[in-house]
Amino acid sequence: MSPDLDTPTDLEPAAVNKISEALNVLLADAFALYLKTKNFHWHVSGRHFRDYHLMLDEQSDAIFATTDQLAERVRKLGGATLKSIGQIGKLQTIQDNNEDYVPPRDMLRELMEDNKHMAAAMRKAHKLCEEHDDTGTAALLEVFIDETERRTWFLFEASRQEGSNAA
């Protein structure tokens, strides 16, 4: 870290490093999930086109809105955050989907699973924050977990088979 970017904090340097690493993975995943959600928004087709198109646009906006807050939280703690698409590619755990065609229900199911993955990763990062008394990051993650669970719920409901609770 450049001394010019050394942000003062009362957290231990090891805590700053661990929390920053976890947040940077969440940030990389947020960018990957944002782009996948936009991809599906752009390429959805079929009889529910309008509903899915609008829902995926809303969801991608919500995901993108988390990116600046996550990156700025890393900087507030004194850590360094993402600098490039290449770094996102190295850190992301959300898998890309480059298929030429994905059936609409499969799109929703894939995004549902990705959002579940994000919520689990956020909970893990939240636990790390609690271990290091980082209440600011923990509180931010609590909001993002709730938003991610809401996206998961909407994707589940939109992709359910008629008259069935089956996934």
Side-chain angles (χ1 to χ4, degrees), residues 36-48:
K36 183 189 281 189
T37 304
K38 273 299 196 187
N39 169 25
F40 289 168
H41 159 80
W42 295 321
H43 295 101
V44 71
S45 64
R47 66 185 187 145
H48 298 291

Side-chain angles (χ1 to χ4, degrees), residues 18-127:
K18 287 178 185 176
I19 294 167
S20 294
E21 284 177 17
L23 292 180
N24 278 325
V25 171
L26 290 175
L27 180 58
D29 278 344
F31 278 117
L33 184 56
Y34 165 76
L35 189 55
K36 183 189 281 189
T37 304
K38 273 299 196 187
N39 169 25
F40 289 168
H41 159 80
W42 295 321
H43 295 101
V44 71
S45 64
R47 66 185 187 145
H48 298 291
F49 168 79
R50 186 176 192 287
D51 292 335
Y52 295 169
H53 184 76
L54 293 173
M55 179 180 67
L56 296 177
D57 198 32
E58 289 171 2
Q59 289 195 358
S60 66
D61 287 349
I63 295 163
F64 188 74
T66 68
T67 61
D68 193 51
Q69 293 178 70
L70 287 168
E72 287 184 357
R73 189 67 201 160
V74 171
R75 291 294 300 123
K76 286 177 196 176
L77 296 175
T81 196
L82 302 181
K83 298 173 181 70
S84 68
I85 298 290
Q87 193 174 10
I88 290 169
K90 289 177 185 170
L91 294 177
Q92 76 183 70
T93 63
I94 299 287
Q95 298 300 306
D96 294 331
N97 185 318
N98 296 313
E99 296 297 321
D100 289 335
Y101 175 76
V102 179
R105 184 171 188 275
D106 293 351
M107 288 178 174
L108 301 182
R109 285 295 160 152
E110 186 170 335
L111 291 174
M112 181 188 74
E113 292 301 325
D114 289 341
N115 276 277
K116 284 172 48 180
H117 174 84
M118 284 287 297
M122 288 179 196
R123 281 187 185 85
K124 187 175 177 183
H126 186 279
K127 183 179 276 190

Side-chain angles (χ1 to χ4, degrees), residues 130-142:
E130 286 180 332
E131 291 170 8
H132 294 286
D133 294 322
D134 180 6
T135 56
T137 305
L140 183 67
L141 290 172
E142 288 169 7

Side-chain angles (χ1 to χ4, degrees), residues 1-10 16 74-79:
M1 173 74 81
S2 168
D4 295 327
L5 296 176
D6 189 20
T7 304
T9 181
D10 64 325
V16 169
V74 171
R75 291 294 300 123
K76 286 177 196 176
L77 296 175

